[in-house]
Amino acid sequence: MTQPPAIFDTALIARHLARRPQASDFVTDLVLVDLEDRLAALIREFPKAAIIGPDLERLPQFGQTASARFAFERHAAFLGTDDVPALEGDDYNLIVSILHLQAVNDVPGYLARLRARLAPDGLLLIAALGGETLTELREAFLAADALVFGGVSARVAPMIQVRDAGALLQRAGLALPVADVETHTVRYSSPFALMAELKALGAANPLVDRSRRLASPALLTAAANAYLAQDSDADGRIRATLEIVWLSGWVPHESQQQPLKPGSATTRLGDVLGKA
Protein backbone atom coordinates (compact mmCIF):
# COMPACT_ATOMS: atom_id res chain seq x y z
CA MET A 1 0.00 0.00 0.00
CA THR A 2 1.33 3.45 -0.92
CA GLN A 3 2.15 5.58 2.08
CA PRO A 4 0.72 9.11 2.08
CA PRO A 5 3.30 11.89 1.78
CA ALA A 6 4.70 13.19 5.04
CA ILE A 7 3.35 16.67 5.76
CA PHE A 8 4.36 16.98 9.40
CA ASP A 9 7.78 16.39 10.93
CA THR A 10 6.66 14.47 14.02
CA ALA A 11 10.22 14.09 15.32
CA LEU A 12 10.56 17.89 15.25
CA ILE A 13 7.21 18.26 17.05
CA ALA A 14 8.43 15.87 19.76
CA ARG A 15 11.62 17.93 20.21
CA HIS A 16 9.62 21.16 20.43
CA LEU A 17 7.33 19.66 23.07
CA ALA A 18 10.28 18.33 25.08
CA ARG A 19 11.89 21.79 25.22
CA ARG A 20 8.87 23.82 26.29
CA PRO A 21 8.50 24.94 29.93
CA GLN A 22 6.67 22.67 32.36
CA ALA A 23 3.61 24.84 32.77
CA SER A 24 0.03 24.52 31.64
CA ASP A 25 -1.05 26.18 28.41
CA PHE A 26 -4.44 27.76 27.91
CA VAL A 27 -5.28 25.77 24.75
CA THR A 28 -4.90 22.40 26.47
CA ASP A 29 -6.68 23.71 29.55
CA LEU A 30 -9.59 24.93 27.41
CA VAL A 31 -9.91 21.58 25.65
CA LEU A 32 -9.73 19.58 28.88
CA VAL A 33 -12.49 21.66 30.48
CA ASP A 34 -14.68 21.02 27.43
CA LEU A 35 -13.78 17.32 27.57
CA GLU A 36 -15.00 17.14 31.18
CA ASP A 37 -18.36 18.57 30.11
CA ARG A 38 -18.68 16.10 27.26
CA LEU A 39 -17.76 13.13 29.42
CA ALA A 40 -20.22 14.24 32.08
CA ALA A 41 -23.01 13.99 29.49
CA LEU A 42 -22.28 10.28 28.90
CA ILE A 43 -24.60 8.18 31.04
CA ARG A 44 -23.08 4.78 30.36
CA GLU A 45 -20.04 2.87 31.59
CA PHE A 46 -16.75 2.62 29.66
CA PRO A 47 -14.74 -0.10 31.46
CA LYS A 48 -11.74 0.19 29.14
CA ALA A 49 -10.76 3.68 28.00
CA ALA A 50 -7.66 5.36 26.58
CA ILE A 51 -6.65 8.98 26.11
CA ILE A 52 -4.00 10.16 23.64
CA GLY A 53 -2.28 13.53 24.04
CA PRO A 54 0.86 15.34 22.92
CA ASP A 55 2.20 15.76 26.45
CA LEU A 56 1.11 13.33 29.14
CA GLU A 57 2.40 15.57 31.92
CA ARG A 58 -0.16 18.18 30.91
CA LEU A 59 -3.07 15.76 31.05
CA PRO A 60 -4.61 15.79 34.52
CA GLN A 61 -4.57 12.85 36.85
CA PHE A 62 -8.28 12.18 36.74
CA GLY A 63 -9.75 12.52 40.19
CA GLN A 64 -13.14 13.66 41.47
CA THR A 65 -14.35 14.76 38.05
CA ALA A 66 -16.58 13.44 35.30
CA SER A 67 -13.63 11.63 33.74
CA ALA A 68 -12.83 9.76 36.97
CA ARG A 69 -15.36 7.11 35.91
CA PHE A 70 -13.25 6.06 32.94
CA ALA A 71 -9.83 5.18 34.42
CA PHE A 72 -8.03 6.22 31.27
CA GLU A 73 -4.88 4.58 30.02
CA ARG A 74 -2.63 7.49 29.01
CA HIS A 75 -0.72 7.37 25.73
CA ALA A 76 1.71 9.89 24.29
CA ALA A 77 1.30 11.26 20.79
CA PHE A 78 4.17 12.21 18.46
CA LEU A 79 6.47 9.40 19.56
CA GLY A 80 8.46 7.80 16.75
CA THR A 81 7.13 7.68 13.19
CA ASP A 82 3.84 5.89 13.89
CA ASP A 83 0.83 8.19 14.23
CA VAL A 84 -1.09 5.74 16.43
CA PRO A 85 0.25 4.82 19.89
CA ALA A 86 0.60 1.16 20.84
CA LEU A 87 -2.88 0.46 22.22
CA GLU A 88 -3.24 -3.05 23.60
CA GLY A 89 -6.19 -5.03 22.27
CA ASP A 90 -9.27 -4.25 20.22
CA ASP A 91 -11.81 -4.01 23.02
CA TYR A 92 -11.66 -0.39 24.10
CA ASN A 93 -15.02 1.13 24.95
CA LEU A 94 -13.76 4.70 24.63
CA ILE A 95 -10.75 6.32 22.95
CA VAL A 96 -10.15 10.07 23.33
CA SER A 97 -7.61 11.91 21.16
CA ILE A 98 -6.62 15.39 22.34
CA LEU A 99 -4.79 17.90 20.11
CA HIS A 100 -3.13 15.22 17.99
CA LEU A 101 -5.17 14.86 14.80
CA GLN A 102 -4.16 18.26 13.39
CA ALA A 103 -0.56 17.04 12.99
CA VAL A 104 -1.23 13.50 11.74
CA ASN A 105 0.09 12.67 8.27
CA ASP A 106 -2.52 10.04 7.38
CA VAL A 107 -5.84 11.23 8.84
CA PRO A 108 -8.08 8.52 7.27
CA GLY A 109 -5.62 5.83 8.34
CA TYR A 110 -5.39 7.27 11.86
CA LEU A 111 -9.17 7.22 12.29
CA ALA A 112 -9.47 3.72 10.83
CA ARG A 113 -6.77 2.32 13.11
CA LEU A 114 -8.31 3.85 16.23
CA ARG A 115 -11.70 2.49 15.15
CA ALA A 116 -10.14 -0.96 14.85
CA ARG A 117 -9.13 -0.78 18.54
CA LEU A 118 -12.71 -0.14 19.66
CA ALA A 119 -15.19 -2.80 20.70
CA PRO A 120 -18.67 -2.85 19.12
CA ASP A 121 -20.62 0.20 20.34
CA GLY A 122 -17.34 1.84 21.37
CA LEU A 123 -16.93 5.63 21.15
CA LEU A 124 -14.16 7.63 19.49
CA LEU A 125 -13.93 11.25 20.70
CA ILE A 126 -11.43 13.68 19.17
CA ALA A 127 -10.49 17.31 19.73
CA ALA A 128 -8.23 18.97 17.15
CA LEU A 129 -7.26 22.44 16.02
CA GLY A 130 -9.58 23.53 13.23
CA GLY A 131 -8.79 25.09 9.87
CA GLU A 132 -9.47 28.68 10.93
CA THR A 133 -6.89 28.56 13.73
CA LEU A 134 -4.21 31.24 13.27
CA THR A 135 -5.60 32.23 9.90
CA GLU A 136 -4.57 35.85 10.63
CA LEU A 137 -0.94 34.84 11.22
CA ARG A 138 -0.95 32.66 8.10
CA GLU A 139 -2.14 35.56 5.93
CA ALA A 140 0.34 37.97 7.52
CA PHE A 141 3.29 35.70 6.72
CA LEU A 142 2.08 35.14 3.16
CA ALA A 143 2.07 38.90 2.62
CA ALA A 144 5.47 39.28 4.32
CA ASP A 145 7.12 36.50 2.28
CA ALA A 146 5.84 38.04 -0.95
CA LEU A 147 7.16 41.46 0.08
CA VAL A 148 10.57 40.38 1.40
CA PHE A 149 11.43 37.32 -0.72
CA GLY A 150 9.15 37.72 -3.74
CA GLY A 151 7.46 34.37 -3.06
CA VAL A 152 5.67 32.44 -0.34
CA SER A 153 6.62 29.68 2.09
CA ALA A 154 4.43 27.46 4.27
CA ARG A 155 4.94 28.78 7.79
CA VAL A 156 1.62 27.87 9.47
CA ALA A 157 0.41 24.26 9.26
CA PRO A 158 -2.84 23.36 7.47
CA MET A 159 -5.54 22.09 9.81
CA ILE A 160 -8.73 20.08 9.50
CA GLN A 161 -11.87 21.76 8.17
CA VAL A 162 -15.06 20.96 10.07
CA ARG A 163 -16.95 20.49 6.78
CA ASP A 164 -14.71 17.47 6.00
CA ALA A 165 -14.87 15.88 9.44
CA GLY A 166 -18.16 13.98 9.17
CA ALA A 167 -17.14 12.34 5.91
CA LEU A 168 -13.82 11.26 7.44
CA LEU A 169 -15.62 9.58 10.35
CA GLN A 170 -17.95 7.71 7.98
CA ARG A 171 -15.00 6.67 5.81
CA ALA A 172 -13.42 5.13 8.92
CA GLY A 173 -16.55 3.00 9.45
CA LEU A 174 -17.99 4.94 12.36
CA ALA A 175 -21.72 5.36 12.88
CA LEU A 176 -23.66 8.35 14.21
CA PRO A 177 -20.87 10.79 13.27
CA VAL A 178 -20.98 14.25 14.84
CA ALA A 179 -18.69 17.20 14.19
CA ASP A 180 -18.97 20.54 15.95
CA VAL A 181 -16.68 23.50 16.42
CA GLU A 182 -15.82 25.91 19.22
CA THR A 183 -14.38 29.22 17.99
CA HIS A 184 -12.49 31.61 20.27
CA THR A 185 -10.89 34.98 19.60
CA VAL A 186 -7.72 35.50 21.61
CA ARG A 187 -6.13 38.94 21.86
CA TYR A 188 -2.43 39.79 22.22
CA SER A 189 -0.53 42.99 22.84
CA SER A 190 1.34 42.57 19.54
CA PRO A 191 2.08 40.03 16.78
CA PHE A 192 5.45 39.41 18.44
CA ALA A 193 3.69 38.42 21.69
CA LEU A 194 1.65 35.83 19.75
CA MET A 195 4.78 34.46 18.04
CA ALA A 196 6.58 34.23 21.38
CA GLU A 197 3.71 32.28 22.94
CA LEU A 198 3.56 29.86 20.02
CA LYS A 199 7.28 29.18 20.42
CA ALA A 200 6.87 28.69 24.18
CA LEU A 201 4.04 26.21 23.56
CA GLY A 202 6.23 24.13 21.27
CA ALA A 203 4.07 25.09 18.29
CA ALA A 204 6.76 26.33 15.91
CA ASN A 205 6.48 25.42 12.22
CA PRO A 206 6.17 21.57 12.11
CA LEU A 207 6.01 21.10 8.32
CA VAL A 208 8.41 18.79 6.51
CA ASP A 209 8.44 21.21 3.57
CA ARG A 210 9.22 24.25 5.71
CA SER A 211 11.68 26.87 4.60
CA ARG A 212 15.18 26.25 5.98
CA ARG A 213 15.93 29.98 5.89
CA LEU A 214 15.83 31.63 9.29
CA ALA A 215 13.07 34.16 9.74
CA SER A 216 14.97 37.41 9.33
CA PRO A 217 14.17 40.59 11.27
CA ALA A 218 12.92 42.09 8.00
CA LEU A 219 10.48 39.19 7.49
CA LEU A 220 9.20 39.30 11.07
CA THR A 221 8.74 43.05 10.92
CA ALA A 222 6.86 42.79 7.61
CA ALA A 223 4.63 40.04 9.03
CA ALA A 224 3.92 42.11 12.15
CA ASN A 225 3.03 45.16 10.06
CA ALA A 226 0.72 43.11 7.82
CA TYR A 227 -0.94 41.60 10.90
CA LEU A 228 -1.49 45.02 12.48
CA ALA A 229 -2.92 46.40 9.26
CA GLN A 230 -5.52 43.63 8.92
CA ASP A 231 -6.35 42.30 12.38
CA SER A 232 -5.78 44.89 15.08
CA ASP A 233 -8.31 46.60 17.32
CA ALA A 234 -8.62 50.29 18.19
CA ASP A 235 -6.53 49.77 21.34
CA GLY A 236 -3.63 48.37 19.31
CA ARG A 237 -4.05 44.75 20.38
CA ILE A 238 -4.30 42.05 17.72
CA ARG A 239 -6.82 39.23 17.29
CA ALA A 240 -6.00 35.55 16.77
CA THR A 241 -8.55 32.86 15.95
CA LEU A 242 -8.51 29.59 17.86
CA GLU A 243 -10.86 26.94 16.47
CA ILE A 244 -11.37 23.61 18.25
CA VAL A 245 -13.08 20.90 16.19
CA TRP A 246 -14.73 18.07 18.13
CA LEU A 247 -15.46 14.77 16.38
CA SER A 248 -17.31 11.75 17.69
CA GLY A 249 -18.42 8.47 16.19
CA TRP A 250 -19.48 5.02 17.37
CA VAL A 251 -18.52 1.57 16.19
CA PRO A 252 -21.73 0.14 14.66
CA HIS A 253 -23.85 -2.05 16.92
CA GLU A 254 -27.36 -3.49 16.65
CA SER A 255 -28.50 -1.54 19.72
CA GLN A 256 -27.92 1.81 18.04
CA GLN A 257 -30.72 3.84 16.51
CA GLN A 258 -31.03 3.15 12.80
CA PRO A 259 -32.29 5.53 10.09
CA LEU A 260 -35.62 4.66 8.51
CA LYS A 261 -35.62 3.23 5.00
CA PRO A 262 -36.42 5.71 2.22
CA GLY A 263 -40.15 5.77 1.52
CA SER A 264 -41.15 4.28 4.89
CA ALA A 265 -42.57 7.52 6.34
CA THR A 266 -46.28 7.46 7.25
CA THR A 267 -46.78 11.25 7.41
CA ARG A 268 -46.36 13.74 4.58
CA LEU A 269 -44.04 16.69 5.20
CA GLY A 270 -46.61 19.00 3.60
CA ASP A 271 -49.22 17.93 6.16
CA VAL A 272 -46.86 18.68 9.06
CA LEU A 273 -45.91 22.10 7.66
CA GLY A 274 -49.57 22.88 7.03
CA LYS A 275 -50.46 22.22 10.65
CA ALA A 276 -47.55 24.34 11.83
Side-chain angles (χ1 to χ4, degrees), residues 53 89 101 120 131 139 157 192 257:
L101 185 70
E139 292 172 355
F192 295 112
Q257 184 176 359

Side-chain angles (χ1 to χ4, degrees), residues 107-108 111 160-174 177-179 247-248:
V107 172
L111 295 175
I160 189 170
Q161 298 289 339
V162 68
R163 63 176 177 267
D164 301 323
L168 288 168
L169 292 170
Q170 289 181 312
R171 178 176 173 181
L174 292 163
V178 175
L247 311 178
S248 66

Side-chain angles (χ1 to χ4, degrees), residues 98-165:
I98 295 295
L99 298 176
H100 184 202
L101 185 70
Q102 74 271 357
V104 164
N105 285 303
D106 180 10
V107 172
Y110 179 82
L111 295 175
R113 292 172 65 191
L114 290 182
R115 182 248 184 267
R117 293 298 186 184
L118 286 164
D121 207 27
L123 173 62
L124 178 62
L125 182 60
I126 294 175
L129 297 180
E132 298 304 311
T133 297
L134 297 180
T135 186
E136 302 88 354
L137 185 64
R138 182 182 294 107
E139 292 172 355
F141 267 116
L142 289 175
D145 270 316
L147 178 65
V148 175
F149 296 124
V152 297
S153 298
R155 298 185 184 275
V156 179
M159 300 173 197
I160 189 170
Q161 298 289 339
V162 68
R163 63 176 177 267
D164 301 323

Side-chain angles (χ1 to χ4, degrees), residues 187 232-237 239:
R187 301 209 312 149
S232 63
D233 292 327
D235 61 0
R237 297 174 70 84
R239 302 180 300 276

